[in-house]
Every structure is written in structure tokens, then in C-alpha cells.
Amino acid sequence: MPRNPFQFLEVSRADPEKRPVGERIRDFNEIYGQFDADTAAAQAGRCLDCGNPYCEWKCPVHNYIPNWLKLIEEGRLLEAAELSHRTNTLPEICGRICPQDRLCEGDCTLNDGLGAVSIGSIEKYITDEALKLGWRPDLSDVEPTGRRVAVVGAGPAGLGCADVLVRNGIEAVVYDRYPRIGGLLSYGIPNFKLDKAVVENRRTLCESMGIRFVLDTEVGRDIGMDDLLEEYDAVFMGLGAYRAVRGQLPNEDADGVVPALAYLVGRANEQLDTDAVGGMSVDVSGERVVVLGGGDTAMDCNRTAIRQGARAVTCVYRRDAENMPGSRREVKNARDEGVIFRYNRQPVGIEIDGERVVGVRVLETRLGEPDERGRRRPETVAGTDEIIPADRVIVAFGFNAEPAAWYEDQAIAHYEDGRTLVATSGEYPFQTSNARIFAGGDMVRGADLVVTAVFEGRQAAESIVRFLRAGADAGADARAVAGR
Ligand code: FAD
Ligand code: SF4
């Protein structure tokens, strides 16, 4: 059938069905359903194919969005899956948890009143459905190079790197201190946003591509970076950013105050029946919970607390709703699920009775001049003290990178400011000050997004390929000069 160029007028934007609030807050299962093939095709057919695809530019991995939308419109699912994997290592995961409203869909031409194409849901549909049909990436034309690279960290950055390495004929062995792959995909982001079975399916897929995982193995403790440099041609580090930002609040270490990631890792351990480091088993059922912060981590804590049966969950944020850093979709989901938002409130202290938390002292704020990142600074208003009662306080102020003691032995430089990010100022993009070590993801750009970590891992792999090739060429030249 010929393409209908006016489909965007005749078919409204649709999203996969969302489970009703009363049902979904009683379990930890994903809240969105899946398109069927006809709906996916009809939604994909809304794409204008506008010539200069702003969505593609805005997508951090520059997915070939209009091209795979067209394939889905034509029912060519397996070709769409192959194409979608050319640019993205984790398309079914990004389709679920990218903040599309700020990325691809935010820049869709139709977003100007007609409703953006539901790009994320179609991206998820493509891989989920192709995998059900037994699809696997086609690596039949890959020529082994005999080169080997160790990837440290099985999070999005590490997986992105390993994917591109094996597609270039380089053996990739991925080490992680956790018992499951995925990094924060498994041990941060809750199941109701990303089912852990999806991450396990990805592991199977990676292994089918020849990627090998060595889990429960911490580099620097169970195996040295020296050993890796000896055994492999190069190393990629995607270690993430795990040092929690503290609020410097009086009584921040009181009984009942919990760091956000410890809470979420604890919950993931219970669910996965693992014992990943850094988790705390905390049950907030029946408690009044106050979550401090306004990003994705805070939203995940809010919604986890709701599902654990908290009596009330209040989210305290120092700016207004407009200036929240997290995904708007997740803020809306949190609100629908019963989270109470207290905007323009700056926490200034934890109130205790004996050793135990009983509340959070806050001051009202108003927004002042923009900071260096363009976000307006909150300024506290004197005389507006208020205590929000709490049995439990969860602190979600963000994360910084944590340089390991062994960086110095390997001459890996990092910035000395508060974020202590690893410097990738080598000759090749994402090369550290040690020429054989590359790095990317949260430990290099600061805590950010899955899709940006995937992008950096992939880019680093491209650099490693060029670096190893240059080394091989130099070796061949030297052998030619020596007459060997
Ligand atoms: P990580 O995912 O942190 O992976 C690093 C890996 O390195 C870990 O598996 C760790 O165990 C391993 N590691 C560290 N040190 C060692 C060592 N010495 N030896 C061996 N292994 C080691 N992003 C989104 O796009 N959408 C969201 O909805 C979203 N929600 C989030 C919710 C929460 C609660 C959090 C904390 C983050 C969220 N993010 C979200 C951000 C996203 O998860 C991260 O930006 C992304 O995971 C970073 O990938 P990475 O590979 O750099 O690091
Ligand atoms: Fe959109 Fe993220 Fe997919 Fe890119 S990776 S197309 S930004 S959902």
C-alpha cells in the first residue's frame, strides 16, 4: 500500500497502555505494556520523514530513527532490529528509560502541538519482539584480529564498549564486582521502570555475540589492573559514579537516614537474591518517608517507598517543578502514585529524638540568578522554617566519581575538583593519561544517563580499535625496517 503522508493528522499519538495506579503500586512490575504490530506500524507511520531529522541529532547515540520507523511501518521487524543495533547497544533499555521528552521526542517536528512520534516505545518494541522471534545480531562478516581488551564495569558504558569491540573482531572480556551485569540497570533503577529479565536477556544476547563476563570480581581487590594490562592489549574502564553527595545537614547520619543508592541496591538484592556491595535492606512500610532531591534517583526512591507500603511519601526539592532535573514522565508517575511534592523547600537539618530521625527542617526558597549550568539558584527566605515530620529520610542529592587508590600506580589522572572525574585527555577520544587505558560513562562525564554512557563506551571502543591498529601498523613498519 502506498505511504499515507498525512498519517500524522489521521492517527493521534498513542503510548502503550499504562497499568492503573491502584494495581501497579501493589507490585514492582513494569507499568507500561507493549504495542501490538498494527499499532506499532500505525504509530511509526506518523513520522514525517522530515529530511533533517532533529530527533536523530538530539538522540545521544544518533539512532537512525526515521529509517527504523519506516521499516516498522512496513512490518520489517528483523531488519529494524539489525539497524537499531548499529547505533545503540541497549535499544530496548533506552526505549524504556530514556527521558524521551528531553531527547528524541522533545525534538520531533510533530511535538509542536500534534504529539511527537512515540519513538521510545517503538524502539523498545523492535528489540523485545525481535528477540522473541530468536533474532540475534549478525556478526558473520567479523574477522577476528587476535586482539584482546579487558572491560572493567558491566554497566551501560562497559556494555557499549564491548559491543563495538566484538563487532571489530576484538575479544572483549568484561569484569564486574557485582554478581549481575548492568551496573545501575540492575542495582539502581527499580524493576517497575526496567524489568531485570530484560537485563538478563541482554546478557544472553551479549554472550551470543562472544562477549565474556567475569562477575563478582572487583578490579583492585580480586584482580589487579597490572594483571589486566599484562594479559590484554588495552583496558576500558566504565566504573560509574558511586560517591553520594552529602547535604552537610546537621544529624545527617542519624538512625533512620538512608543514602538513596543503599536503599535501592538493598531492594535490588532482595529481588535478585544477590548480595551486591553497598546495599541496605530497608523496609519503610507504615512509615512517613521524606525523600530529599528532585532527580531520577529521588523519583525511584519515592516510588519504591510507595510500593513498600509507606504511610506517606513526601519529596522535598529546593527548586520548582519546572526546574526539576529528572524525567517529567517519571515525576508525573510519582505524583499519580501518591507522592506529595514540596517544591521550593531547602532542607537545612535533620530533626532527631535521641538517636532517631523525627523530621526534616526546611526553609522556603525563591529562585535567583542562573548558575553556571543555566539553572536558577535557589535562595532561602529567612523566617520560613518548617519541620516536615518523618520516620525515615532518604537522601538523593546525586553522585560523584570515586578515584580508586590504584589510579596513581597506573598514572591515571583525575580532576581534583569535587566531582573527581577521570580525565580523558589522551591523543584518542576517551583515552586516559595512561595510553593503554580508556574510560567513559558516569566516571568521565559525571552522573548522567544510560544512553550517554552507552555512547561514550561505544566511542571509546572506536578509539581502542584505532589505537590498536596504529600500534600494529607501527609494529609492522618496524619489522619491515628491520627486515623481518
Ligand atoms: P554504572 O551503571 O554505574 O556501571 C558501572 C559498573 O562498574 C557497575 O556495575 C560497578 O559494579 C562496576 N564497577 C565499579 N568499580 C569496579 C571495580 N573496581 N571492579 C569491577 N567492577 C567495578 N538514566 C537514564 O537514562 N534513565 C533513568 O531512568 C535513570 N534512572 C536512574 C536511577 C537511579 C537510581 C540512578 C542511580 C541512576 C539512574 N540513571 C538513569 C542514570 C544511569 O543509570 C547511569 O547514568 C548509567 O548507568 C551510567 O552507566 P555507567 O556504565 O557509566 O556506570
Ligand atoms: Fe530516543 Fe533514547 Fe532511543 Fe535515542 S536512545 S531514540 S534518545 S529513546
Side-chain angles (χ1 to χ4, degrees):
M1 233 188 359
R3 194 164 190 273
N4 174 6
F6 298 108
Q7 187 141 323
F8 68 96
L9 291 175
E10 290 161 20
V11 177
S12 309
R13 176 194 163 105
D15 292 293
E17 212 173 311
K18 189 155 57 161
R19 294 165 64 213
V21 170
E23 177 193 312
R24 72 188 196 230
I25 61 169
R26 281 195 237 114
D27 61 45
F28 282 82
N29 298 334
E30 278 192 5
I31 71 168
Y32 292 99
Q34 181 86 293
F35 285 145
D36 58 33
D38 289 343
T39 316
Q43 289 296 312
R46 295 183 68 246
C47 175
L48 291 177
D49 196 10
C50 49
N52 186 358
Y54 299 105
C55 57
E56 201 169 304
W57 287 110
K58 189 71 177 199
C59 166
V61 289
H62 307 303
N63 274 333
Y64 302 127
I65 299 168
N67 306 64
W68 43 248
L69 288 175
K70 186 161 189 293
L71 290 170
I72 288 304
E73 188 188 2
E74 294 168 0
R76 293 155 67 187
L77 177 69
L78 301 188
E79 286 163 80
E82 201 62 50
L83 185 62
S84 150
H85 279 77
R86 283 237 219 116
T87 48
N88 194 355
T89 303
L90 305 172
E92 76 289 18
I93 292 175
C94 292
R96 281 173 165 83
I97 59 172
C98 266
Q100 286 99 8
D101 48 354
R102 291 199 265 130
L103 299 175
C104 52
E105 294 180 13
D107 270 28
C108 172
T109 308
L110 291 179
N111 197 33
D112 202 7
L114 288 162
V117 175
S118 23
I119 298 170
S121 302
I122 295 171
E123 190 178 21
K124 155 182 176 279
Y125 164 86
I126 293 171
T127 297
D128 282 354
E129 297 305 311
L131 287 180
K132 282 185 201 156
L133 297 178
W135 171 85
R136 293 285 180 269
D138 180 8
L139 272 67
S140 55
D141 60 351
V142 172
E143 301 268 345
T145 61
R147 297 297 192 156
R148 305 180 72 227
V149 170
V151 173
V152 187
L159 296 177
C161 182
D163 176 9
V164 173
L165 290 173
V166 295
R167 285 173 187 269
N168 280 278
I170 296 173
E171 190 184 333
V173 182
V174 185
Y175 293 81
D176 203 293
R177 60 183 175 164
Y178 283 157
R180 300 282 184 107
I181 75 155
L184 290 171
L185 304 176
S186 291
Y187 290 101
I189 298 170
N191 208 66
F192 51 81
K193 267 167 62 183
L194 172 62
D195 194 313
K196 300 311 155 221
V198 174
V199 185
E200 274 306 291
N201 285 343
R202 181 48 62 178
R203 175 179 177 169
T204 310
L205 197 70
C206 287
E207 286 172 337
S208 78
M209 295 167 68
I211 297 169
R212 194 154 73 78
F213 292 103
V214 182
L215 301 178
D216 260 330
T217 303
E218 182 170 329
V219 172
R221 190 191 65 185
D222 305 313
I223 185 168
M225 183 53 96
D226 278 342
D227 303 317
L228 298 183
L229 287 169
E230 180 136 349
E231 189 180 341
Y232 296 93
D233 295 297
V235 176
F236 171 78
M237 302 198 302
L239 307 184
Y242 285 86
R243 186 162 48 86
V245 173
R246 289 177 60 88
Q248 311 300 342
L249 304 173
N251 304 319
E252 198 169 335
D253 295 319
D255 192 10
V257 181
V258 187
L261 201 54
Y263 175 55
L264 295 173
V265 174
R267 173 65 210 142
N269 272 336
E270 280 161 24
Q271 195 194 351
L272 295 170
D273 195 19
T274 56
D275 58 353
V277 287
M280 275 170 78
S281 183
V282 177
D283 183 356
V284 300
S285 57
E287 293 183 348
R288 293 164 303 174
V289 177
V290 173
V291 176
L292 307 181
D296 282 331
T297 305
M299 286 326 117
D300 290 352
C301 292
N302 286 322
R303 298 173 68 200
T304 299
I306 290 273
R307 282 162 175 75
Q308 282 188 326
R311 176 143 60 103
V313 180
T314 306
C315 183
V316 172
Y317 181 54
R318 62 195 179 137
R319 294 187 173 90
D320 58 10
E322 264 311 288
N323 284 282
M324 280 188 118
S327 152
R328 288 186 186 190
R329 178 187 57 203
E330 302 309 336
V331 174
K332 178 174 185 323
N333 284 335
R335 190 178 298 111
D336 290 349
E337 290 170 7
V339 175
I340 302 154
F341 283 89
R342 298 294 309 273
Y343 295 112
N344 293 109
R345 295 289 184 286
Q346 172 80 53
V348 290
I350 304 291
E351 297 293 308
I352 52 172
D353 182 6
E355 310 260 295
R356 179 87 203 172
V357 62
V358 291
V360 181
R361 182 177 291 274
V362 297
L363 278 177
E364 216 174 298
T365 61
R366 63 175 160 239
L367 294 182
E369 291 304 306
D371 61 16
E372 56 290 345
R373 292 161 76 188
R375 289 167 69 210
R376 293 176 63 193
R377 271 179 230 275
E379 292 165 359
T380 52
V381 182
T384 57
D385 280 55
E386 178 195 354
I387 293 171
I388 303 176
D391 307 305
R392 184 81 59 177
V393 175
I394 301 175
V395 183
F397 288 144
F399 307 96
N400 286 316
E402 198 161 27
W406 45 263
Y407 283 10
E408 209 173 314
D409 304 337
Q410 306 301 339
I412 302 170
H414 62 81
Y415 296 103
E416 296 293 348
D417 61 3
R419 301 208 296 163
T420 48
L421 303 174
V422 161
T424 50
S425 43
E427 183 189 346
Y428 294 85
F430 300 100
Q431 188 179 35
T432 69
S433 46
N434 180 327
R436 287 176 61 213
I437 302 179
F438 294 70
D442 280 4
M443 68 180 298
V444 164
R445 63 183 293 126
D448 195 20
L449 294 174
V450 169
V451 66
T452 48
V454 167
F455 176 72
E456 294 200 348
R458 294 176 65 91
Q459 291 289 301
E462 303 273 359
S463 285
I464 294 171
V465 170
R466 282 190 283 126
F467 169 74
L468 294 180
R469 234 177 245 156
D473 292 347
D477 288 349
R479 282 193 295 278
V481 170
R484 282 188 282 143

